[in-house]
Amino acid sequence: MTGLRGPVLVVGAGLLGTSVGLALRARGIEVLLRDVNDEHLRTASGLGAGTPANGSPVAPELVVVAVPPDHLAEAIAEALTTTDAVVTDVGSVKGRPLARVAELVPAEALARYVGSHPMAGSERSGPLAASSLLFDGRPWAVAPHASSYPGAAALVTALAEACGATPFAFTPAEHDAAVARTSHVPHVMAALVAGALADAPSEHLSLSGQGVRDVTRIAAGDPALWQQILTANAAALTGLLREVRDRLDGVLDALDAGSRDALAEVLGRGVAGTAAIPGKHGGPTVPVEGVFVGVPDHPGELARLFADCGDIGVNIEDVRIDHDPGRPVGLTELTVAEDAADRLRTALEERGWSVHG
């Protein structure tokens, strides 16, 4: 059981706010909803994420602010001055909103504020994209400032746990440096790579494979939202981007000079970086291998493949599908533990699957 009893007021009924409401309602916690967009409010309440606040006299225990970055500080300040509740937000940046809120409210009110940030989302937006399971197993940063009440931080930690997430404690500055490295730089780089495709000849794009889809997927995020996120975290982001620029200059120099040793250093550092990413459930990275299986592109085939893997007794760590443009078949990559890959290949072939590689 968590220490969060409710009611919880969620301000902003978009993807994150509605998902918070759905997760809390699934655990029996009362949720009130508020949004300037009446359609979002109707949709979120219709989905069961909570009931419209509508001037409800019920005093919330906690306010969760889930509005776009440009409006965070003012919405947080309003919640602190109009309620006696602990207030948190789910924005992507913590330092700049905190500084602005500190200008808007007295110190005793500021002590009830603790920023937070669930590392979960989608390329889609709005309440219809929400899910009660959005935060399950995901990291949720809890970032109290120097004068936050300890009890306020504990309540926000309880919120993360009630939503199914795993809370991690950061200072606001630590948080912003971390997301610049793990989220904001990757988004900028994905946008740059995807942008190079926008005007590419169609015959070039016909060779698109899973690699380019993997690298560019997150570039499909809402540009208006990402403008706000990136400018809000400019202080942490620009230094990292300059480091990337210097490494890119090194790649250009290596290519001009034909230096394979210099390229090997850059590529090797990339391998080391991917190995440093935490493994499943935050544990150590487990050596894995891809098993490629041709799957006919019609209903029921993926289910049959997964059922066969279950019968064989091999756990699928990840799955990707690359649709072959020349055949009605999807080449499905099953990522499994390295020591199980050969056994899976053999067993799938015995069951009639076309296994590649």
Side-chain angles (χ1 to χ4, degrees):
M1 294 295 292
T2 75
L4 182 62
R5 298 181 301 276
V8 174
L9 171 62
V10 177
V11 179
L15 167 66
L16 292 180
T18 303
S19 294
V20 167
L22 290 170
L24 295 180
R25 289 298 302 127
R27 288 158 178 79
I29 297 172
E30 182 182 359
V31 177
L32 304 172
L33 299 171
R34 183 178 296 157
D35 198 298
V36 296
N37 185 321
D38 290 339
E39 184 62 31
H40 280 190
L41 189 60
R42 283 193 295 271
T43 301
S45 58
L47 291 170
T51 57
N54 291 337
S56 169
V58 178
E61 178 188 23
L62 174 69
V63 179
V64 180
V65 177
V67 301
D70 280 357
H71 305 288
L72 265 180
E74 287 71 20
I76 293 166
E78 180 182 4
L80 288 169
T81 54
T82 59
T83 76
D84 293 323
V86 170
V87 177
T88 190
D89 70 285
V90 293
S92 299
V93 179
K94 303 276 72 95
R96 182 177 287 189
L98 171 62
R100 178 60 178 152
V101 172
E103 296 173 352
L104 297 173
V105 304
E108 58 269 21
L110 187 65
R112 290 186 280 112
Y113 169 63
V114 173
S116 73
H117 179 206
M119 298 302 295
S122 169
E123 292 78 48
R124 299 186 299 147
S125 61
L128 288 175
S131 168
S132 64
L133 304 178
L134 183 68
F135 310 109
D136 273 13
R138 304 297 300 168
W140 189 311
V142 178
H145 55 86
S147 59
S148 295
Y149 289 141
L155 192 62
V156 176
T157 299
L159 166 70
E161 293 170 342
C163 289
T166 302
F168 291 89
F170 290 86
T171 68
E174 288 171 342
H175 166 274
D176 289 355
V179 295
R181 189 179 301 276
T182 62
S183 176
H184 302 169
V185 166
H187 193 94
V188 172
M189 301 311 294
L192 291 172
V193 174
L197 304 175
D199 299 317
S202 59
E203 60 269 23
H204 292 188
L205 297 176
S206 67
L207 298 181
S208 299
Q210 192 60 42
V212 73
R213 293 185 178 92
D214 288 345
V215 170
T216 59
R217 179 184 60 82
I218 58 174
D222 180 7
L225 174 63
W226 274 96
Q227 290 173 50
Q228 297 176 48
I229 292 171
L230 298 178
T231 54
N233 203 26
L237 180 60
T238 51
L240 289 170
L241 286 175
R242 289 189 177 97
E243 290 180 16
V244 173
R245 181 185 63 188
D246 291 344
R247 295 195 184 101
L248 183 56
D249 285 340
V251 171
L252 291 171
D253 291 342
L255 291 172
D256 287 340
S259 174
R260 293 192 176 187
D261 289 342
L263 290 173
E265 182 179 352
V266 172
L267 297 172
R269 187 171 175 82
V271 172
T274 57
I277 299 171
K280 190 167 64 174
H281 310 309
T285 302
V286 176
V288 294
E289 189 171 329
V291 174
F292 296 87
V293 185
V295 179
D297 194 7
H298 55 75
E301 291 301 312
L302 271 178
R304 183 167 68 89
L305 174 61
F306 293 153
D308 281 351
C309 291
D311 290 343
I312 294 165
V314 173
N315 187 53
I316 300 172
E317 304 291 334
D318 201 357
V319 61
R320 294 186 297 180
I321 303 175
D322 187 5
H323 293 283
D324 189 332
R327 295 184 300 159
V329 171
L331 187 61
T332 301
E333 180 184 4
L334 304 175
T335 303
V336 300
E338 191 175 62
D339 58 6
D342 285 342
R343 177 164 64 91
L344 180 61
R345 289 189 187 96
T346 300
L348 287 175
E349 286 178 338
E350 290 173 351
R351 292 172 180 240
W353 289 101
S354 175
V355 180
H356 298 249

